[in-house]
Structure formats: C-alpha cells, structure tokens
Amino acid sequence: MGTKKIHAQPPEELTGIKLTNIPSSAVGAKAIASALTHVNEEVGLIKGIGLLSKINQKDGFDCPGCAWPDPDEKRAFLAEYCENGAKAIAEEATKNRVSPMFFSTHSIQELSKLSDYEIGKSGRITHPMILKEGSDYYEEISWNDAFSLVGKELNNLESPDEAIFYTSGRTSNEAAFLYQLFVRQFGTNNLPDCSNMCHESSGAALSETLGIGKGSVTLDDFNHADLVIVMGQNPGTNHPRMLTALSETKKNGGKIITVNPLPEVGLLNYKDPQNPLKWIGKGQDLTDLFLQVKINGDVALLKIILKIMKEKELEQPNSVFNHKFIKEKTSGIDEFLEDLDNYSIESLLPQTGLTLKQIKDASELIINNDKIIICWAMGLTQHKNSVDNIREVVNLLLLKGSIGKKGAGTCPVRGHSNVQGDRTMGIWEKPKEDFLNKLEKEFSFNAPRKHGYDVVAAIEAMHKKEAKVFIGMGGNFISATPDTEFTAKALQNCNLTVHVSTKLNRSHLIHGRQALILPCLGRSEKDNQESGDQFVTVENSMGVVHQSQGHLNPLSKHLLSEPAIVAGLANATLKNSKVNWSELITNYDFIRDKIEATINGFDNYNERVRIKGGFYLPNNARDNDFKPTKTKKANFTTNKPSEIKLEDDQFIMMTIRTHDQYNTTIYGLDDRYRGVLNERRVIFMNPNDMKKIGVQKLDKVDLTSHFQGQERHAKGFLVIPYSIPNQCTATYFPEANVLVPIKSKADISHTPTSKTIIITLQKVS
Ligand SMILES: Nc1nc2c(c(=O)[nH]1)N[C@H]1C(S)=C(S)[C@@H](COP(=O)(O)OP(=O)(O)OC[C@H]3O[C@@H](n4cnc5c(=O)[nH]c(N)nc54)[C@H](O)[C@@H]3O)O[C@H]1N2
Ligand SMILES: Nc1nc2c(c(=O)[nH]1)N[C@H]1C(S)=C(S)[C@@H](COP(=O)(O)OP(=O)(O)OC[C@H]3O[C@@H](n4cnc5c(=O)[nH]c(N)nc54)[C@H](O)[C@@H]3O)O[C@H]1N2
Ligand SMILES: [Mo]
C-alpha cells in the first residue's frame, strides 16, 4: 500500500511571494472588492449577491464565518456580512464539484501532493464515496451500504470506547443533539470537538470562577462600555463585524485597549463597510492604547496591573475596588491579594516586553472606569498557562465589580459559528451527570458515565491502536490538530475513518484501512424532509439561539442533511434504541421538542425560535448570580505567569490565521492586512532578532521545534521583518502544525499550545 507516500502536510514549495505596504486601515472599499471577487469566481455574481442578501437576516441563514452575534433589532439589507463572511459563503456555494468522475481520475497519492488551497478549490463533494482496503481511489457507494459499513465496524469493536466521534463547530443544534444521543446510546463519551483546540481554556476558567463556561456580555453592552480591552484577538480578519461594535463603543465615548504582540490592522484603524462615504479618507482609530505584549506575557502584564490597582487602593481606600460587589458576590479575595505580594513588578516586567509607563497608562484607564468588557480569543487560550490567563482576566473584572451589569463583563469571542451551541447540545467528552440523567429518562437507556477522550487524548489513543474507528462530523482533523505526522500515523492506524463533509479536504486523504466520505448539505442550501423545508438553529457567541434557513437548491441530489446522516448511522448501528430516528428527521420540530425536554433554557423552543431574531439562553453571570460555582460565589484565583525559559538561539512562535483562510480552508494565498501576498510559508520576526542570528529579509530558513528533548522539523519558510516583540515569531497554521508537539498542551484544558512553540531557525544556503 502506498500510504507512506501520502502527504499529511501541505507541500513545502514556495509560491512566489510579493510584499506590499501594510494597509493603514481595515475594511473599506478594498474589502468589498475582495469579497465580490471571491463571490464572482466561486458562485457567479448574480447568484452571489442574492446569497449575500440572505446572510444573517432574520429569514436567512447564519453566516458560517464566525460566531459574532447579529444586532437584536435593526438589520440592514446586505449589511450583516463582512468580507470574510462573503468568502465563507462563496467557498460553500462554489460551482466546482468533486464528483465520482473526479475521484476516479485523481488518486489519493496525487491529491495529497496538492496544497490545501488547491484541495479546497476542487469543490463540493457530490456523492457518498468509499475508499476500499488497499485501493488508491475513492469509489461511489450507496448511502445504505455506507451506513451498514459504519454500523458493522462499530459493532465489531471490543468496546464502544474504541470509537472516536469528532465534531467541528459548524454543526447545527439539531444535528449535534442527535449525534451526541447516537454516540451515548452506542455507549461512549468519546466526543472530542474543535473546542478542545479553541476556547476550552475559556470554558474551564469561566466555569470555575463564574459558574458558566460562556461569556456574559451581549452585543448591546458594547454601546454602554467605558472601556473595552481586546486581548489576543485579531477581529479585523476573524470577526470583522466586531469592529462595528467597537466603533459604537468609541462613538459613545468609550476607550479601547488592545493587547497583542502584533499591531493588527483592523484594531488600529477601521472603515465602516456599511458607510461608503467613509471609505475615502483615513478611517477611524479604534485603539486608544496599544500594548505590544510578548507572546504569553499576559499573566505578567495583568499581574502588574493588579498590583498597581492594589497599591492605589491601599493608598486611597475605595478609589479602585468595588467593595460592595466583592463582599456580596465573591470568594477568595484575601488569598488573591496576598498572592500578588509573591511577585515583584521588576521581575514581571521583562516577560511583558512593555515599559512600566505603558502599563501604568492602562492601569489608569482601568482604575478610572467601571464598565469594563474584556474580549479575547486564541491569543489567550492556546498556551500552557491559558486557564491562568483567563482566570486573571476574571480577577481584574471582579475587583472592579465589572460583571453582571450593563456595559461590563467577559467576552470570549468564539470561533466556529455554532461551536457554543454544540456544547450546549451535549457535544462534550465530560458530560454533566444532570444532563445524562435527563437523557436517560427521556430516551430510556443507560448513558455511559466514564469521561471520553478530548482531541489530544483521541489522537494518542488512535496512535496506540486503542481506538480504531474515527468519525468526523465536519472539520478537517488532520490539518487542524497538532503534530501532523504523529496524528497522520494515528488516523492511518484506524480500521475505518469517516468524514461528514461539504468540501474535499486533507483529512479525506489521510485515511484508515477503509474510509468513507459522507457529503452533506451546506448552510445555504434548502433542507427538504418529509414535512417540507426545514430550518435548523444555532447559538452565537453571546448565547442567542436563532434560526438558519438555506435558500439555494442543493448542489447534488445525493446529499443528505447532517441530521439525516446521524439518523442513518444510528439506524444502522444501534440494536436496542427506543428512539424513532427516522421519524425525528421528518420534521426538525420533533428534534427540538427532545432538546427542550432535556436541556435547560429551551422552554417553548419551537415557538420562541420562530420569533425573528431568536431568544437568549439563561446566563447566570449576566444576571449577577454565581451560585453554580463550588463556593456559590464568583471566585478569585491565584495564577502563574509563563514559565518558559528560552535558550539564546531560541524563539517563541505563535501560529496564526491569514486574512485569506478559514481555519484549514485556504481561500487565497494573501495576507493583505500584514502586507504579504501570494505566500503562506513565511515567518514574521523582529529585525533585531534577524540581525542577531544573521538572517535577512526573505532569506529561506528551516524551523525546528524543541520540546522535552525532542525535535520536529518544518522546511522552507521566508523571513519577514515585522513589528513583533523580541524573541517572538509568527507563522501560519496549518503549515506549522507539524511543529506543535502532541504533548505540549495547556494545563487543565488540554488545548494544544498552538501559540507557544519553542523553535530555532536554520538558514538554508
Ligand atoms: N476569516 C476567518 N474568520 C475566523 C476564522 C478564520 O480562520 N478565518 N477562524 C474562526 C475560529 S475557529 C476562531 S477560534 C477565531 C480565531 O480568532 P483569533 O483568535 O483572532 O485568531 P488567530 O489568528 O489565532 O489570532 C490570534 C491573535 O492573538 C494574538 N496573540 C498570539 N499570542 C498571543 C499572546 O500570547 N498574547 C496576546 N495578547 N495575543 C496573542 C495574535 O497576534 C493574533 O492577533 O476566528 C474565527 N473566525
Ligand atoms: N496551529 C494551530 N492549530 C489550530 C489553531 C491555531 O490557531 N493554530 N486553531 C484551532 C481552532 S481555534 C479550531 S476551531 C480548529 C478548527 O478545526 P476544524 O473545525 O476541524 O477545521 P475547519 O478547518 O474549520 O474544517 C473545515 C472543513 O469542514 C467541512 N465543512 C464545512 N462546512 C461544513 C458543514 O456545514 N457541515 C459539515 N459536516 N462539514 C463542513 C469542510 O469539509 C471543510 O474542509 O483548528 C485548531 N487548530
Ligand atoms: Mo476556533
């Protein structure tokens, strides 16, 4: 078998870099032009504009781009989308088809030599496909045969715990609910999901401290905030509509602090895409104070701020802390304040890369304002001490009483458009007892109690051959996960790998003994079942549950909806299920009734979700009620700064997204906002560091990562001098995933440390 020659990583060849000026502002006319170009190329202009008019409208479909919420009230025609949302839609609604003919003329080996960009551009998969043992070509298979094969392989396992059921965050509430029910009736909690690699650290920290793993603010809070702190996040690229919310904060007199190793264009300056009059000219400065922190220097920075706050409060009692809130609502203040004395500002400062003056300026803004929102994303969640990062953010908000009131609170900005909803639906390897009890009662079965594998544990189990069947509900497991070569081996060890997918991706090529691709409908397509056209529901980053309805005709009549695929798998696998799977999918209202019966906050689900705009789920932190925590109060915690020690020739590397990708889906080869065109194999470096190791602009280097005495290698990256702190570097994911060691993960949350990788560089002569 030719598996050895199959490429688990993108090719190392360079694509012809061009450097341009970094734009002085984000969005504006260029963004509109770029969006329309993608739409035109993939879908055609007229159909494309029709599609854009349905994005995030109350009768339209939820943009698959990100989980940023839509305004509760006004929604302008063509207004609730952004450049990158438009690209996401274009990518799904593409004219390009991956048909059985395509597969019969392209071997797996050949396809694996393509770049992720080329693989994605091949298009949407039209038929269920099987890769038989020993073959190098996928062939068409009937849905029935595909389901039977999965059922047979699952039932052949010695234990249900030998199967892995992964979920990516685009899956609707209805599909996710059915999927977890199927998996638990089969007998395992092995439900790893993309959250394990994403906001798991936020969930862990927020549950412990505030009693809910989700953020507390609503979109309207941005209209009322005095101060918004954006940490470790690049909204100009990844949540462009957030810039509108930030500009509202500014309009109302609020201030913005940005904490980031990179001066990300969108945060610094912005032009409203909905206001063409403002496209010409300078745009709006969003950030009032930019703290160019060193990678993983956030706990050190927050500790200095907290120490300054404490000092001021001691000098001038009642000038900083909200004592009423602290006394009534929190626990652990004394230990927390005492622990701050264990650290000195002098020893913390070098970790931040900032001057004390800059940090004092930030502290001043925090001390003088009461309504504070802190936003964050992957810059805080993907480090060894990520949970500490987020708990320290909570400490700051608690001292100020800046939670559970208008204009204040926590704002972890979610990634995938329904990643938060999937968790609400029970996609989690560590389900709560209360939820399992309700499932058992409603569906008359015994749910497994043993906690399942998260993403890293799942990879390790497959590597050790302790897990033998992998099923992915969406996503692109091989390219999204760390330690590419190790993970490839893990997947290749399986008896069967199955992917429910819209588009071709690398995970279809890194396969087990046999493999299946089960093609599903996309968000933008009509989902017709026995009772007529269905809608699905999703939950955004701020806990609003709402409808999403596709309007396009499905691109192939052989596609099934995700709920129908789950029902098919369940019917073929489960022998004693008392659930009528086939009936549930005739009308998704039936699924929603079951959700209402088993999950809190979904009362009158079918009725309330039909109200335009949807409804908010309960949120105890938003209501200033912290009873769900262990102490029944909001908890102060003591946290540790980074413990990384770099050797003289070592650098810390973060892996980030370009402006032209959606996770592992590569829309194009440009990173316009960072001035890099037509190349993804680049490494951003500080010019002083370049001098120190003797490399020049556009020199080619190989990268080696170092972890517990092991080395991993990635070849051929071009050096780009950039505004980034000393000893810090950045590369793009998924290209650099090969360097992320499988065992390098966050404490508690087990999130791979995709933003902290220790590397050295070797110049290629
Ligand atoms: N267009 C588009 N939209 C997307 C996605 C996409 O790929 N493309 N992905 C979606 C998903 S799943 C997610 S999770 C989100 C991701 O959204 P982001 O978290 O914004 O994405 P990243 O590119 O990982 O950027 C991380 C940011 O954190 C900064 N950073 C890195 N390390 C540190 C640190 O130690 N401290 C601080 N303070 N900052 C740091 C980086 O410089 C960068 O600006 O976006 C979602 N939306
Ligand atoms: N080094 C590094 N690694 C990272 C990160 C990082 O910052 N650095 N970020 C991590 C993060 S935050 C995340 S969330 C993960 C993302 O991990 P995943 O969610 O696994 O990856 P995606 O690239 O979002 O998945 C894209 C694939 O989903 C399929 N798809 C798209 N739409 C649909 C649909 O509607 N239904 C179905 N069934 N399939 C669909 C398509 O086939 C597409 O190829 O990656 C993580 N990996
Ligand atoms: Mo994510």
Side-chain angles (χ1 to χ4, degrees):
M1 237 173 61
T3 39
K4 289 239 164 53
K5 289 191 206 129
I6 290 180
H7 296 244
Q9 297 173 42
E12 287 160 357
E13 287 84 48
L14 300 175
T15 43
I17 193 165
K18 282 190 237 105
L19 297 181
T20 62
N21 289 337
I22 294 169
S24 59
S25 71
V27 196
K30 271 218 170 121
I32 307 279
S34 156
L36 290 180
T37 308
H38 279 266
V39 167
N40 187 27
E41 279 170 9
E42 296 280 346
V43 198
L45 207 53
I46 293 181
K47 185 172 161 197
I49 300 264
L51 256 180
L52 294 185
S53 74
K54 288 287 183 196
I55 302 184
N56 291 335
Q57 297 299 318
K58 289 179 179 173
D59 65 344
F61 61 95
D62 183 52
C63 178
C66 74
W68 189 256
D70 314 303
D72 287 337
E73 298 306 329
K74 75 166 196 238
R75 293 199 196 163
F77 176 67
L78 274 185
E80 296 308 329
Y81 77 95
C82 63
E83 174 191 355
N84 278 347
K87 289 185 202 161
I89 297 297
E91 194 72 23
E92 179 178 296
T94 178
K95 296 176 290 212
N96 300 333
R97 305 273 193 276
V98 175
S99 62
M101 177 70 130
F102 174 95
F103 282 114
S104 68
T105 48
H106 295 80
S107 71
I108 306 267
Q109 267 195 52
E110 191 189 327
L111 289 171
S112 78
K113 289 182 196 145
L114 299 179
S115 67
D116 292 305
Y117 174 61
E118 292 162 324
I119 292 176
K121 290 289 171 217
S122 312
R124 287 276 301 276
I125 300 155
T126 58
H127 291 66
M129 304 298 298
I130 180 168
L131 181 72
K132 294 185 183 145
E133 186 171 356
S135 171
D136 203 17
Y137 291 87
Y138 273 100
E139 298 160 44
E140 197 179 337
I141 183 174
S142 72
W143 278 105
N144 263 343
D145 290 350
F147 290 145
S148 303
L149 175 64
V150 178
K152 189 178 117 222
E153 288 293 339
L154 286 175
N155 286 314
N156 274 347
L157 295 173
E158 273 171 38
S159 143
D161 290 332
E162 291 182 352
I164 311 274
F165 299 86
Y166 175 71
T167 313
S168 166
R170 218 176 252 193
T171 297
S172 66
N173 284 352
E174 289 74 5
F177 182 79
L178 288 189
Y179 187 51
Q180 63 81 32
L181 179 63
F182 157 54
V183 171
R184 295 200 162 103
Q185 291 209 330
F186 175 61
T188 180
N189 285 312
N190 284 345
L191 283 157
D193 68 349
C194 67
S195 244
N196 297 146
M197 300 180 271
C198 185
H199 265 294
E200 195 70 58
S201 309
S202 309
L206 293 173
S207 305
E208 176 191 347
T209 55
L210 303 175
I212 180 166
K214 307 177 182 183
S216 74
V217 300
T218 68
L219 193 50
D220 184 52
D221 285 318
F222 283 82
N223 296 324
H224 301 274
D226 300 328
L227 177 64
V228 178
I229 308 177
V230 184
M231 302 186 73
Q233 200 202 336
N234 178 20
T237 286
N238 298 312
H239 306 91
R241 287 179 304 127
M242 178 175 166
L243 299 183
T244 315
L246 292 175
S247 78
E248 290 296 322
T249 303
K250 296 280 295 196
K251 241 187 254 162
N252 294 324
K255 294 264 191 280
I256 294 171
I257 301 178
T258 292
V259 184
N260 200 306
L262 300 178
E264 303 284 29
V265 165
L267 278 172
L268 300 185
N269 192 289
Y270 161 71
K271 289 179 183 170
D272 186 349
Q274 263 81 63
N275 192 343
L277 292 178
K278 293 196 179 156
W279 292 352
I280 306 157
K282 200 174 139 295
Q284 181 188 16
D285 290 330
L286 284 180
T287 295
D288 295 281
L289 179 62
F290 172 43
L291 300 179
Q292 191 164 20
V293 72
K294 280 192 169 184
I295 297 173
N296 203 201
D298 301 271
V299 171
L301 165 64
L302 288 164
K303 270 206 196 304
I304 298 177
I305 294 175
L306 292 165
K307 282 179 77 74
I308 293 174
M309 288 165 73
K310 178 180 169 186
E311 230 167 79
K312 175 95 192 278
E313 176 68 26
L314 289 178
E315 258 169 42
Q316 242 180 301
N318 292 317
S319 65
V320 184
F321 295 177
N322 183 333
H323 290 284
K324 185 165 179 291
F325 178 88
I326 293 171
K327 186 156 175 280
E328 285 173 10
K329 298 286 179 186
T330 72
S331 162
I333 177 89
D334 295 339
E335 298 90 308
F336 160 71
L337 288 176
E338 227 168 86
D339 181 68
L340 284 181
D341 295 340
N342 294 330
Y343 303 89
S344 72
I345 291 184
E346 297 67 46
S347 66
L348 292 168
L349 198 58
Q351 272 202 27
T352 68
L354 300 164
T355 64
L356 190 54
K357 162 86 174 58
Q358 288 174 305
I359 304 179
K360 281 190 171 155
D361 289 348
S363 308
E364 223 22 50
L365 279 172
I366 292 165
I367 287 169
N368 294 332
N369 289 295
D370 287 325
K371 290 186 287 178
I372 303 172
I373 295 175
I374 303 186
C375 307
W376 70 90
M378 298 305 101
L380 291 200
T381 64
Q382 298 175 331
H383 303 281
K384 176 141 195 314
N385 65 339
S386 276
V387 176
D388 294 75
N389 265 341
I390 294 142
R391 289 191 301 214
E392 207 73 314
V393 161
V394 171
N395 283 338
L396 194 160
L397 292 174
L398 291 182
L399 279 184
K400 297 289 297 179
S402 233
I403 190 144
K405 68 179 181 195
K406 224 179 190 25
T410 51
C411 184
V413 184
R414 300 280 159 175
H416 266 301
S417 51
N418 198 38
V419 62
Q420 188 160 311
D422 291 346
R423 271 294 161 90
T424 308
M425 292 299 116
I427 301 289
W428 198 22
E429 73 282 358
K430 293 187 281 211
K432 293 250 168 69
E433 184 62 24
D434 176 50
F435 171 64
L436 294 179
N437 288 338
K438 284 192 177 147
L439 277 186
E440 289 182 325
K441 204 161 148 238
E442 183 65 26
F443 299 104
S444 316
F445 75 110
N446 293 325
R449 290 303 192 274
K450 192 176 134 199
H451 284 175
Y453 297 129
D454 56 27
V455 162
V456 169
I459 297 168
E460 286 175 327
M462 290 187 281
H463 200 268
K464 283 189 279 194
K465 302 191 181 173
E466 287 169 8
K468 296 171 183 157
V469 174
F470 174 91
I471 301 185
M473 178 56 74
N476 182 3
F477 196 79
I478 183 66
S479 300
T481 50
D483 222 340
T484 314
E485 293 299 339
F486 184 91
T487 302
K489 186 91 194 65
L491 288 166
Q492 287 164 343
N493 278 345
C494 287
N495 291 338
L496 175 67
T497 46
V498 182
H499 290 93
V500 178
S501 310
T502 49
K503 300 199 70 174
L504 188 68
N505 67 43
R506 200 170 291 280
S507 293
H508 304 133
L509 312 176
I510 307 302
H511 53 84
R513 190 159 54 74
Q514 313 162 83
L516 286 168
I517 307 176
L518 307 180
C520 65
L521 294 170
R523 282 264 172 94
S524 52
E525 288 166 327
K526 279 186 199 152
D527 180 354
N528 190 272
Q529 303 294 343
E530 221 173 286
S531 66
D533 281 348
Q534 307 295 310
F535 64 84
V536 291
T537 59
V538 291
E539 174 184 340
N540 67 31
S541 206
M542 291 169 188
V544 179
V545 178
H546 62 94
Q547 295 187 25
S548 171
Q549 179 149 29
H551 291 264
L552 290 181
N553 289 324
L555 91 148
S556 144
K557 61 180 192 306
H558 303 281
L559 304 182
L560 291 184
S561 74
E562 288 180 351
I565 292 174
V566 178
L569 293 172
N571 277 330
T573 308
L574 305 175
K575 295 191 179 100
N576 301 313
S577 176
K578 300 201 175 62
V579 177
N580 188 339
W581 295 91
S582 305
E583 189 182 25
L584 280 177
I585 58 158
T586 58
N587 183 339
Y588 294 176
D589 280 0
F590 298 155
I591 308 176
R592 286 185 284 269
D593 285 339
K594 295 295 179 194
I595 294 172
E596 178 176 339
T598 46
I599 300 177
N600 293 337
F602 287 86
D603 313 278
N604 302 322
Y605 193 2
N606 275 309
E607 202 176 304
R608 285 198 297 158
V609 86
R610 283 181 163 82
I611 299 169
K612 301 251 150 131
F615 60 90
Y616 278 94
L617 286 175
N619 185 307
N620 62 281
R622 186 175 294 160
D623 298 340
N624 214 353
D625 162 14
F626 305 104
K627 276 200 280 313
T629 69
K630 277 205 181 122
T631 60
K632 304 204 177 332
K633 299 229 167 165
N635 291 312
F636 281 98
T637 50
T638 53
N639 300 299
K640 287 213 180 77
S642 166
E643 284 165 354
I644 291 166
K645 299 235 163 13
L646 294 175
E647 307 280 330
D648 228 22
D649 61 341
Q650 289 181 337
F651 298 89
I652 187 165
M653 179 183 85
M654 56 178 174
T655 55
I656 54 177
R657 294 154 169 80
T658 70
H659 193 61
D660 249 4
Q661 74 184 79
Y662 192 88
N663 299 338
T664 69
T665 301
I666 312 300
Y667 301 140
L669 301 176
D670 297 346
D671 194 4
R672 199 172 80 237
Y673 288 176
R674 299 195 186 103
V676 180
L677 303 182
N678 205 44
E679 185 58 77
R680 295 184 50 85
R681 294 187 85 85
V682 297
I683 178 161
F684 296 96
M685 277 189 98
N686 181 298
N688 294 327
D689 287 336
M690 289 172 55
K691 217 180 277 162
K692 198 175 105 187
I693 63 162
V695 293
Q696 296 190 346
K697 177 169 160 181
L698 296 183
D699 273 355
K700 193 169 170 185
V701 292
D702 293 339
L703 307 179
T704 303
S705 71
H706 303 268
F707 183 75
Q708 298 180 343
Q710 301 166 348
E711 289 189 350
R712 288 168 178 75
H713 304 279
K715 286 208 161 91
F717 289 75
L718 300 177
V719 178
I720 297 189
Y722 207 76
S723 171
I724 184 170
N726 279 326
Q727 291 182 301
C728 297
T729 62
T731 52
Y732 300 138
F733 111 88
E735 284 77 1
N737 265 351
V738 63
L739 296 171
V740 187
I742 189 76
K743 291 214 179 304
S744 179
K745 56 185 184 186
D747 299 331
I748 303 170
S749 66
H750 301 170
T751 298
T753 62
S754 310
K755 299 284 188 272
T756 313
I757 303 143
I758 310 297
I759 59 157
T760 49
L761 293 82
Q762 300 78 41
K763 192 168 155 180
V764 181
S765 42

